[in-house]
Amino acid sequence: NTINAMEKLAGQKPEVIQNEETGFIKCDFKYSPNEKSNLLMDAMVLGLMDISKAYGKQYLQVKFEEV
């Protein structure tokens, strides 16, 4: 949902790699994300971190990599 919102609301389409079997999602921006994209990503990360804290890392692991 967040990735779709970035395209429709923020006007940016990140490159997405996903695996539905493992739940893996990788989102790369070719250019620096704009303010709206940053806000959407921050909201998604906040939600995922809360889920990880509530249910434990065996169910959800959130990793960040900035380059």
Side-chain angles (χ1 to χ4, degrees):
N1 190 31
T2 298
I3 295 168
N4 291 334
M6 278 191 281
E7 185 175 349
K8 295 195 187 302
L9 301 175
Q12 290 192 305
K13 185 175 181 178
E15 182 179 317
V16 178
I17 299 170
Q18 61 185 0
N19 183 321
E20 289 184 21
E21 290 180 21
T22 64
F24 175 82
I25 298 174
K26 180 179 180 181
C27 183
D28 288 327
F29 289 89
K30 292 180 182 179
Y31 305 101
S32 295
N34 64 28
E35 187 175 337
K36 288 181 181 179
S37 290
N38 276 329
L39 178 63
L40 290 166
M41 289 295 288
D42 288 345
M44 180 183 73
V45 168
L46 179 63
L48 292 173
M49 296 294 283
D50 286 346
I51 292 169
S52 182
K53 287 178 187 174
Y55 294 98
K57 290 185 179 181
Q58 71 185 48
Y59 297 105
L60 176 65
Q61 294 180 20
V62 180
K63 296 180 183 180
F64 297 97
E65 182 178 315
E66 290 189 38
V67 289

